Amino acid sequence: MWRKLALLPSSRYSPIISLLRHGRGIQTSSSGSEVVESWRKKLEDLNVPDVKSSLDNMLGHVLSEKEVHNLSEKKDMMLTTEQLEHFEKLCHCRVARMPIQYIVGEWEFRDLLLKMQPPVFIPRPETEELVELILQKQEPTLPLTFLEIGCGCGAVSLALLKALPLAKCKAIDQSSMACLLTLKNAIYQKLSDRISVSQHKISERIKEDDFPVKFDFIVSNPPYVSSTDLMDLDPEIRLYEDLRALDGGEDGMNVIKAVLKVASKFLTDDGTLWLEVDSSHPELVVRYLDIHRASLKLKFVSSYTDLFQNERFIEIIREN
């Protein structure tokens, strides 16, 4: 039923495919350390960010090493010719500013190792904090049902399911590739029996039969970047990730408002909505809820800062 997802699915990535197939790299030798240092200098000269971390992770992928910290600084590293060629192909991708998560094809999120594939949105470290906030408010021994709006690769839904053994989840995304990748990760993590995944674009016209049940909580990391700021994003984001997962409209609030309407209709009484937003949005959300409180029956509870001390997460409850 499910096809294997192609790592580089469209002509958008054809320059990278060409590099992978035909790229000629730095002259290799039996010393892996020499090659790594040559690429370190090249990446630094090209102002590619996070050079050490990139090299560590690419080497870990080539060598099938789980512990990658400082791997690129080993002085006695020896690589086979095949390993050297593989490493250089990955380095060409990094020169082209492909995110390291797409290059190695997997990434850790909390205690999960998840498959990654362009252009499905890459989960950020801050989102792990959102999961932790939610778990602090849950009783793991109680059965509950929750909805994730914009599941991407499935990181949030699957992390919550793993920590809440009696929970069940409905996960939706407007991208068919994201839905497929979420299901693939659910199967890989042996959680597919407790998650239902479907393609669904959230709009302000929400029908009562869109979802057959009410949810104990809803979580969403919706698109919240202002449309005018999209072209200012780093090349790793702008060139490779699905911009639909980022574009929140003129003020970044378009999808957030749609999610609030979903929460109003499909949360249980006293159910909770958890949002990850831009630091400018908590104030806008409070204002919007004040204006529409009678119709939405939603109450702002609190906002929380992320590890960078930005106002990043919002807790909202549905009133009786």
Side-chain angles (χ1 to χ4, degrees):
M1 178 179 178
W2 299 104
R3 302 191 305 270
K4 184 176 180 181
L5 300 176
L7 184 60
L8 297 167
S10 74
S11 59
R12 181 180 179 186
Y13 307 105
S14 56
I16 311 304
I17 295 173
S18 178
L19 279 172
L20 285 169
R21 291 175 178 169
H22 308 297
R24 295 180 179 177
I26 298 168
Q27 184 64 40
T28 62
S29 70
S30 59
S31 171
S33 303
E34 293 178 8
V35 176
V36 170
E37 289 309 308
S38 296
W39 274 107
R40 190 190 309 276
K41 184 177 186 306
K42 182 173 184 178
L43 292 170
E44 289 174 348
D45 289 346
L46 292 171
N47 294 317
V48 174
D50 303 318
V51 171
K52 179 183 178 299
S53 175
S54 296
L55 291 171
D56 285 347
N57 281 283
M58 289 187 293
L59 280 169
H61 181 69
V62 168
L63 298 172
S64 299
E65 291 278 354
K66 291 184 178 180
E67 179 54 58
V68 302
H69 183 63
N70 290 333
L71 193 57
S72 64
E73 297 184 350
K74 291 181 65 175
K75 300 301 182 184
D76 56 348
M77 185 186 307
M78 302 296 291
L79 300 176
T80 66
T81 300
E82 183 179 354
Q83 288 171 334
L84 287 169
E85 290 176 353
H86 188 190
F87 175 69
E88 289 207 317
K89 288 176 182 179
L90 301 185
C91 287
H92 279 297
C93 290
R94 193 68 192 101
V95 166
R97 302 298 290 269
M98 179 179 279
I100 189 65
Q101 294 90 341
Y102 292 156
I103 292 174
V104 301
E106 59 188 17
W107 204 250
E108 289 186 354
F109 184 85
R110 284 177 61 90
D111 54 351
L112 301 175
L113 183 63
L114 300 173
K115 305 297 182 183
M116 298 287 150
Q117 176 182 341
V120 179
F121 187 74
I122 298 168
R124 274 45 173 184
E126 302 95 305
T127 306
E128 296 190 25
E129 297 179 81
L130 175 60
V131 172
E132 186 59 36
L133 278 172
I134 296 171
L135 291 176
Q136 289 173 8
K137 300 292 182 97
Q138 307 303 320
E139 173 52 61
T141 60
L142 294 178
L144 54 84
T145 304
F146 68 91
L147 168 69
E148 183 182 11
I149 300 173
C151 56
C153 68
V156 171
S157 290
L158 298 176
L160 289 169
L161 286 175
K162 186 167 183 179
L164 301 170
L166 299 181
K168 293 185 178 181
C169 171
K170 174 71 175 179
I172 63 173
D173 201 289
Q174 65 179 331
S175 164
S176 60
M177 291 188 66
C179 292
L180 284 169
L181 189 54
T182 291
L183 183 61
K184 182 178 181 179
N185 278 320
I187 294 170
Y188 181 69
Q189 295 295 333
K190 296 181 171 57
L191 294 168
S192 59
D193 59 328
R194 292 194 285 129
I195 186 171
S196 171
V197 185
S198 63
Q199 185 178 6
H200 193 118
K201 184 174 182 179
I202 292 298
S203 69
E204 296 196 3
R205 295 181 179 179
I206 304 300
K207 298 177 292 186
E208 292 293 342
D209 59 351
D210 278 345
F211 305 109
V213 299
K214 300 283 188 179
F215 300 99
D216 297 292
F217 69 84
I218 296 173
V219 56
S220 182
N221 178 11
Y224 60 71
V225 178
S226 168
S227 299
T228 57
D229 293 335
L230 288 176
M231 291 303 103
D232 295 329
L233 296 172
D234 291 338
E236 284 83 354
I237 301 171
R238 189 178 70 248
L239 298 178
Y240 293 95
E241 293 192 82
D242 187 347
L243 294 184
R244 295 177 303 168
L246 298 160
D247 188 354
E250 184 177 354
D251 60 358
M253 286 283 291
N254 284 6
V255 183
I256 293 173
K257 291 175 181 177
V259 171
L260 291 172
K261 288 180 169 61
V262 172
S264 176
K265 286 181 178 291
F266 296 104
L267 275 176
T268 59
D269 289 341
D270 297 322
T272 308
L273 170 64
W274 294 93
L275 293 171
E276 181 172 336
V277 298
D278 182 76
S279 58
S280 66
H281 286 150
E283 182 179 348
L284 297 179
V285 170
V286 169
R287 192 180 310 160
Y288 185 81
L289 292 179
D290 284 344
I291 294 172
H292 300 279
R293 188 164 185 175
S295 59
L296 293 178
K297 297 181 179 179
L298 296 175
K299 179 183 177 182
F300 182 91
V301 176
S302 183
S303 64
Y304 304 89
T305 58
D306 62 17
L307 71 166
F308 303 111
Q309 299 307 306
N310 296 314
E311 293 289 328
R312 184 67 64 196
F313 313 112
I314 295 176
E315 180 183 4
I316 296 168
I317 62 169
R318 189 185 189 283
E319 299 177 300
N320 292 327

